[in-house]
Amino acid sequence: MPVEENGELCEASNIALLNYIPCPLRSEMRAVLPVDRIVIELIIFDADGVLVDSETIALTVLVRAASEEGAPIGVDEARSFRGLKMADCVREIERRLGRGVRETFVADLRRATALAFDAELKPVEGIHAALAEIAIPVCVASNGPMSKLTHTLGLTKLLDRFGRRIFSAYEVGSWKPDPGLFLHAA
């Protein structure tokens, strides 16, 4: 999907090393560094939607919780909440409500999401086989809290694959798309 960056239209890429390089520089790098000469030393994975098939489950729980709080959100509209910090999701729900959410809203939402994961969560199809083929170091860098990461990776039998190489934006203090989380992970 094309994205605009620095006024230039670029093709979004899943190539981790090139994702956060400004588009003009990225074009120059491709011209100067042929792909066959790039040495990849580390692959940084996101968790939700990349390793674990959690996004639909989490959005369904968020939609239900927001509706119960009095701020109905359509499932399609809820997709705009993907990847946001919980504080930003809550701020948007509160804006719709015209008031603050109940004191236990976030804890209740996290608990309901964890229970839904317990019942439904699966690894992204083919991820175990793909990881088995990767011979270089790998890690996880996610906007989710560490407790969620260890829970979801554990449920899907991926936790041991990453060991202590799991990084949460909550611990680093930098949320994607800011590159700070990735720089810390690297």
Side-chain angles (χ1 to χ4, degrees), residues 67-148:
S67 294
E68 290 170 359
E69 192 69 19
I73 299 172
V75 175
D76 289 335
E77 187 181 7
R79 294 190 203 306
S80 66
F81 286 75
R82 282 189 314 195
L84 293 180
K85 292 188 282 187
M86 179 62 76
D88 293 337
C89 294
V90 169
R91 196 172 3 268
E92 175 58 20
I93 291 167
E94 289 177 334
R95 184 192 68 73
R96 291 167 184 240
L97 285 169
R99 62 169 173 80
V101 295
R102 69 185 182 282
E103 190 175 308
T104 62
F105 180 80
V106 172
D108 293 345
L109 177 59
R110 290 202 191 279
R111 190 171 19 266
T113 303
L115 289 171
F117 288 160
D118 288 345
E120 303 174 48
L121 189 65
K122 305 240 182 298
V124 166
E125 187 176 336
I127 195 62
H128 284 282
L131 287 170
E133 295 294 319
I134 297 172
I136 61 173
V138 294
C139 69
V140 178
S142 172
N143 279 350
M146 187 61 77
S147 59
K148 176 187 171 197

Side-chain angles (χ1 to χ4, degrees), residues 9-88:
L9 203 59
C10 297
E11 195 66 27
S13 167
N14 284 331
I15 301 172
L17 296 175
L18 298 180
N19 269 348
Y20 292 95
I21 297 171
C23 292
L25 181 58
R26 192 180 322 158
S27 299
E28 291 172 24
M29 284 180 65
R30 284 193 175 119
V32 174
L33 295 171
V35 174
D36 63 340
R37 294 193 185 184
I38 294 176
V39 176
I40 299 174
E41 297 178 22
L42 170 71
I43 299 175
I44 302 172
F45 288 93
D46 190 8
D48 297 314
V50 176
L51 298 171
V52 296
D53 199 4
S54 57
E55 289 183 327
T56 301
I57 299 167
L59 288 176
T60 301
V61 175
L62 175 67
V63 165
R64 184 173 47 242
S67 294
E68 290 170 359
E69 192 69 19
I73 299 172
V75 175
D76 289 335
E77 187 181 7
R79 294 190 203 306
S80 66
F81 286 75
R82 282 189 314 195
L84 293 180
K85 292 188 282 187
M86 179 62 76
D88 293 337

